[in-house]
Amino acid sequence: QVQLVESGGGLVQAGGSLRLSCAASGSIFSIGSMDWYRHAPGKQRELVAGITSGGTTNYADSVKGRFTISRDNAKNTVYLQMNSLKPEDTAVYYCNADVRSSTTLTYNHYWGQGTQVTVSS
């Protein structure tokens, strides 16, 4: 089994910064893409940023230039550095990873439990 545990959320004023972390643990052979999603009340869940195992990144237009996704493959961890935060960034942020099991060698999709980010105006 694989677990994803997020941390780093909280309350911040507009213009501030937060850094989210998501650590994967368990029966891991390798990890493919790792992504951050967010879900705000009354809105659909959206992909915020993603990073492949090779380091290729992609971002939602709404966060380009403000957010940076990175990963530490040795630690099975993905990060999301969020700068110049806006009230509309308020949401629960979830990490997501494609993990190849060390026991079955098959890929499965895993989600973290989510971490709340609240940006006050």
Side-chain angles (χ1 to χ4, degrees):
Q1 193 56 280
V2 173
Q3 299 81 38
L4 299 182
V5 178
E6 298 116 334
S7 60
L11 173 64
V12 64
Q13 288 188 331
S17 298
L18 284 173
R19 189 191 193 210
L20 305 183
S21 300
C22 173
S25 62
S27 303
I28 298 171
F29 180 81
S30 63
I31 302 178
S33 294
M34 302 183 83
D35 308 302
W36 286 98
Y37 286 77
R38 65 187 180 188
H39 192 187
K43 296 183 178 180
Q44 288 189 334
R45 183 178 62 190
E46 67 169 335
L47 175 64
V48 176
I51 185 167
T52 67
S53 57
T56 300
T57 59
N58 63 281
Y59 297 92
D61 288 342
S62 58
V63 307
K64 281 182 182 177
R66 300 188 298 122
F67 290 11
T68 302
I69 189 170
S70 61
R71 64 192 283 171
D72 184 333
N73 290 330
K75 296 181 179 180
N76 291 331
T77 300
V78 63
Y79 306 96
L80 186 67
Q81 177 67 43
M82 304 185 295
N83 299 328
S84 302
L85 282 160
K86 305 175 181 180
E88 50 264 43
D89 294 317
T90 295
V92 179
Y93 284 70
Y94 298 90
C95 71
N96 170 284
D98 287 324
V99 180
R100 192 176 188 186
S101 167
S102 59
T103 55
T104 65
L105 296 182
T106 57
Y107 275 99
N108 283 289
H109 221 55
Y110 292 93
W111 290 90
Q113 81 286 354
T115 184
Q116 177 70 47
V117 171
T118 303
V119 184
S120 62
S121 57

